[in-house]
């Protein structure tokens, strides 16, 4: 048990249970707390600060006896699970780097307020974990990761970020990749709410996972592209706003590329798209999707669940296009090519999956028109289309509709 600690050098504690009754713990160099459980036990529920001039590592699972905020500082930071075994959840949790080091997460984080990582060179997950900022209340906290790269230190790591509630919390993310040594196997982000759906601000230029599981990348909420974005999910599915929310930009028409082609001989991963609109102020620019299989394996399907307003849409790989209801693709002045980036080879089959499936494609505008091309239209997905409308502007320059 420690009521307060402040030392000019290193500070180390190792015990099965460590109880901190005070508010401020500082070490001039390293600070290391090891064991099975770290309890924040100051009785009034005041905020606690743990700070190290050098590396800071908390190997214990952490919880609190009263609802409170926790701020952790160190040149590098490592924490384990954050839970409510002592009766309460931490409210706001902030991890702030004070040097050129990363933040390592070794377990799930369950809190009732904001989760913030700042001034770190990377965020590295060592095991599959969930960051959850709502524990049953009407409001969820935000997840603020800024532009910090996120990755894993081992293979087979899945990361889930969930700020869903009646009023969901906003989420900000940087690049998702392999800067920490390995790529995540899957990455799922949810910020849905019956009252308010949260923003998922993508500040990085790429989301790249290792794939190999049933899920690759899933983003549900109001997804906002802050830069041109590439999503790589070899052989595993990608879903954007499939359960709710939208995809848009702040104004600049940033491009979106999705590639689910696997490296070994295997089928391409499926892609599912929800609503693409101007929720954040602007439309997404060109969207290029490649679901090609490798070797002689089949291409993955593209499922459209809602209307798409964007710069252009290209599906490479000739995968089947499944419609989950009435869908309108509006790419004014841009191409809609389903099956290939070459108009003559765009041969994707279009089919419905429900009884009210229909498709409207509009590329004509006052300055010209984009090209439209696709293959067979049938009922192989479980439902025939109730209607098919293509408007490429009969008098527009370069207007062309090709049925392959």
């Amino acid at each position: 048990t420690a009521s307060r600690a402040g030392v000019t050098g290193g500070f180390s504690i190792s015990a099965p249970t460590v109880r901190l009754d005070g508010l401020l713990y500082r070490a001039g160099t390293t600070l290391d707390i090891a064991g099975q459980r770290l309890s924040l036990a100051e009785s009034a529920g005041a905020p606690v600060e743990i700070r190290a001039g050098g590396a800071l590592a908390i190997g214990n699972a952490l919880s609190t006896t009263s609802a409170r905020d926790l701020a952790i500082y160190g040149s590098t930071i490592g924490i384990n699970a954050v839970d409510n075994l002592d009766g309460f959840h931490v409210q706001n949790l902030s991890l702030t780097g004070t040097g050129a080091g990363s933040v390592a997460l070794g377990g799930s984080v369950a809190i009732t307020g904001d989760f913030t990582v700042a001034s770190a060179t990377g965020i590295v997950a060592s095991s599959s974990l969930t960051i959850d900022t709502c524990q049953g209340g009407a409001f969820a906290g935000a997840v603020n990761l800024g532009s910090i790269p996120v990755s894993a230190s081992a293979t087979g790591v899945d990361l889930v970020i969930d700020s869903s509630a009646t009023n969901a919390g906003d989420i900000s993310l940087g690049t998702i990749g392999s800067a920490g040594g390995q790529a995540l196997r899957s990455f799922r982000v949810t910020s849905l709410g019956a009252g308010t759906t949260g923003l998922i601000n993508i500040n990085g230029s790429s989301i790249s996972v290792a794939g190999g599981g049933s899920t690759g990348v899933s983003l549900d909420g109001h997804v906002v592209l802050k830069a041109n974005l590439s999503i790589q999910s070899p052989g595993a599915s990608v879903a954007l706003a499939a359960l709710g929310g939208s995809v848009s930009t702040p104004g600049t028409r940033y491009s979106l590329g999705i590639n689910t082609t696997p490296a070994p001989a295997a089928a391409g991963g499926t892609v599912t798209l929800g609503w693409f609109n101007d929720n954040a102020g602007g439309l997404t620019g060109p969207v290029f999707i490649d679901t090609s299989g490798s070797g002689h394996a089949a291409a993955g399907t593209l499922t459209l669940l809602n209307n798409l307003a964007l710069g252009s849409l290209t599906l490479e790989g000739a995968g089947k296009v499944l419609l989950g209801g009435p869908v309108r693709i509006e790419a004014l002045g841009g191409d809609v090519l389903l099956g290939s980036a070459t108009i003559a080879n765009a041969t994707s089959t279009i089919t419905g999956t429900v009884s009210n499936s229909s498709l409207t494609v509009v590329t004509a505008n006052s300055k010209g028109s984009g090209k439209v091309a696709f293959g067979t239209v049938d009922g192989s997905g479980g439902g025939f289309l109730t209607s098919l409308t293509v408007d490429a502007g009969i008098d527009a320059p370069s207007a062309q509709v090709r049925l392959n």
Side-chain angles (χ1 to χ4, degrees):
T1 299
S3 60
R4 182 182 178 92
V7 296
T8 57
F11 177 56
S12 178
I13 303 174
S14 180
T17 300
V18 178
R19 177 186 171 103
L20 302 182
D21 290 330
L23 303 178
L24 178 62
Y25 297 86
R26 289 185 175 179
T29 56
T30 59
L31 192 155
D32 181 54
I33 302 175
Q36 296 177 345
R37 167 92 16 207
L38 172 61
S39 298
L40 305 180
E42 187 273 336
S43 60
V48 170
E49 177 183 309
I50 304 175
R51 179 186 292 266
L56 186 150
I58 298 175
N60 326 57
L62 184 155
S63 59
T64 179
T65 59
S66 300
R68 74 180 77 244
D69 296 346
L70 173 62
I72 297 175
Y73 299 83
S75 61
T76 61
I77 298 172
I79 66 169
N80 212 312
V82 180
D83 57 34
N84 69 333
L85 193 63
D86 283 311
F88 291 85
H89 290 281
V90 171
Q91 293 172 322
N92 300 307
L93 173 61
S94 63
L95 309 175
T96 304
T98 58
S102 62
V103 168
L105 302 178
S108 293
V109 175
I111 61 177
T112 59
D114 297 346
F115 178 75
T116 302
V117 179
S119 302
T121 58
I123 300 168
V124 182
S126 60
S127 62
S128 296
L129 61 93
T130 297
I131 299 170
D132 188 344
T133 60
C134 181
Q135 310 307 317
F139 293 86
V143 177
N144 305 307
L145 307 184
S147 298
I148 301 172
V150 177
S151 60
S153 60
T155 59
V157 173
D158 303 312
L159 175 60
V160 176
I161 299 175
D162 190 351
S163 67
S164 296
T166 302
N167 297 284
D170 293 340
I171 297 171
S172 64
L173 305 168
T175 295
I176 312 299
S178 57
Q182 299 288 338
L184 299 168
R185 179 173 58 185
S186 69
F187 181 58
R188 180 161 59 90
V189 180
T190 306
S191 184
L192 298 174
T196 302
T197 291
L199 300 175
I200 303 175
N201 294 297
I202 310 297
N203 299 311
S205 60
S206 68
I207 297 175
S208 181
V209 298
S214 59
T215 300
V217 176
S218 175
L219 307 176
D220 286 299
H222 288 310
V223 179
V224 183
L225 308 185
K226 298 293 188 71
N228 296 329
L229 179 64
S230 171
I231 299 177
Q232 304 284 329
S233 180
S237 65
V238 172
L240 303 181
L243 300 180
S246 62
V247 180
S248 64
T249 70
T252 301
R253 290 196 170 194
Y254 293 115
S255 63
L256 171 63
I258 302 173
N259 192 322
T260 62
T261 302
T270 62
V271 174
T272 303
L273 302 181
W275 195 9
F276 277 55
N277 61 11
D278 62 353
N279 179 73
L283 299 177
T284 304
V287 175
F288 184 90
I289 301 169
D290 190 348
T291 62
S292 300
S294 58
H296 298 288
T301 58
L302 169 62
T303 300
L304 305 180
L305 299 177
N306 211 320
N307 296 334
L308 307 179
L310 34 64
S312 64
L313 176 63
T314 301
L315 172 64
E316 184 75 45
K320 187 172 292 188
V321 178
L322 308 176
L323 304 178
V327 173
R328 177 185 176 93
I329 303 174
E330 189 172 281
L332 304 184
D335 296 338
V336 176
L337 304 176
L338 302 178
S340 172
T342 304
I343 187 169
N345 298 320
T347 58
S348 284
T349 295
I350 299 175
T351 180
T353 61
V354 292
S355 61
N356 67 335
S357 297
S358 66
L359 178 62
T360 300
V361 180
V362 180
T363 62
N365 68 5
S366 60
K367 297 181 180 179
S369 177
K371 300 176 179 65
V372 180
F374 48 84
T376 301
V377 179
D378 62 21
S380 59
F384 289 94
L385 305 192
T386 60
S387 66
L388 172 63
T389 303
V390 178
D391 180 3
I394 192 168
D395 296 323
S398 74
Q400 188 174 356
V401 177
R402 180 167 175 135
L403 306 181
N404 294 315

